[in-house]
Amino acid sequence: INNQTINLIIQSSGLDRGKVNNEIEKIKNCFKEKKIEIDKLENLLNLKTNDDFSQLKDEAIKGNKYNTNKLLSETIFQTENSVYYLNSINQRINKLNEVENLKNNEINLDSIINQLKPPVFWKDKPILIEQSKKWNKKKLQEILKKTYNTEVELKSNSMIRKDLLLKKLILDLCSTANIS
């Protein structure tokens, strides 16, 4: 057993001694006279991980600090998908910008979102309505500059930790959404 294995056991048990003992027994039974492989151990311990970046993005744009931090700790950022993550954020910011531009005449966000082309998927509509209540033109322009700078940094520096840049951007999104 190495430090990584110990950390996984502690993480899955929530520091409960009874659960720690149960997890150790599971490992003993499953890996009897075998080398412990981390990926199999993660499956055995049922660790919570999140592969759905869109949920994290949506919570950050809503300005929900608690869910953003929770999802940020559970989400696994794959380095090769960095540009995809950034594009996903940009698409939503641009959609919010479109909503903001159409707000001039109307107050009802539901009817404004119905005017968008291409149409917003029915499942995303309530999320977009909630997000558009948090954002205005000034905040949208500010976050677009930050996404642009992050994109330049991601593409120009191969030695930089892309996951940290994206996490910083997500935290900036969340804090900007909460600015009055």
Side-chain angles (χ1 to χ4, degrees), residues 5-163:
T5 306
I6 293 169
N7 288 335
L8 287 172
I9 294 168
I10 291 170
Q11 183 182 356
S12 71
S13 65
L15 300 175
D16 181 354
R17 284 184 183 214
K19 288 182 182 178
V20 169
N21 289 330
N22 288 339
E23 299 295 0
I24 290 172
E25 286 303 315
K26 267 201 261 183
I27 293 169
K28 282 181 186 177
N29 291 332
C30 185
F31 294 102
K32 203 173 232 177
E33 297 178 26
K34 294 180 191 173
K35 183 181 177 201
I36 298 175
E37 297 175 27
I38 293 298
D39 56 335
K40 290 182 180 177
L41 181 64
E42 287 174 348
N43 287 335
L44 179 68
L45 298 177
N46 297 325
L47 290 177
K48 293 179 183 174
T49 56
N50 181 18
D51 294 334
D52 185 14
F53 178 77
S54 63
Q55 187 179 11
L56 171 61
K57 170 199 67 169
D58 287 339
E59 290 299 322
I61 294 173
K62 283 184 204 173
N64 188 331
K65 290 179 183 179
Y66 176 77
N67 285 346
T68 300
N69 283 330
K70 184 174 179 270
L71 290 168
L72 206 52
S73 68
E74 294 174 356
T75 301
I76 299 169
F77 288 89
Q78 297 173 342
T79 307
E80 63 271 8
N81 290 340
S82 299
V83 174
Y84 163 75
Y85 300 140
L86 198 58
N87 285 338
S88 178
I89 291 170
N90 277 331
Q91 284 177 347
R92 182 51 58 101
I93 297 299
N94 287 329
K95 191 64 79 175
L96 288 169
N97 214 0
E98 284 181 57
V99 169
E100 195 62 34
N101 289 335
L102 292 172
K103 271 187 184 177
N104 296 336
N105 303 340
E106 296 213 29
I107 299 170
N108 185 358
L109 287 173
D110 200 340
S111 63
I112 291 172
I113 291 174
N114 286 335
Q115 295 174 27
L116 295 176
K117 300 288 184 223
V120 175
F121 186 57
W122 66 271
K123 203 173 181 182
D124 288 336
K125 197 172 180 179
I127 296 168
L128 189 61
I129 289 172
E130 190 176 344
Q131 290 170 343
S132 62
K133 290 177 183 176
K134 290 273 193 172
W135 292 86
N136 59 35
K137 281 199 180 285
K138 183 181 175 190
K139 290 197 284 187
L140 289 167
Q141 294 308 312
E142 180 183 325
I143 206 65
L144 279 172
K145 286 178 188 173
K146 287 182 182 181
T147 58
Y148 173 77
N149 291 337
T150 303
E151 183 173 5
V152 168
E153 196 71 30
L154 281 173
K155 291 180 177 178
S156 63
N157 189 348
S158 63
M159 300 301 289
I160 200 159
R161 292 235 357 233
K162 294 174 173 40
D163 60 329

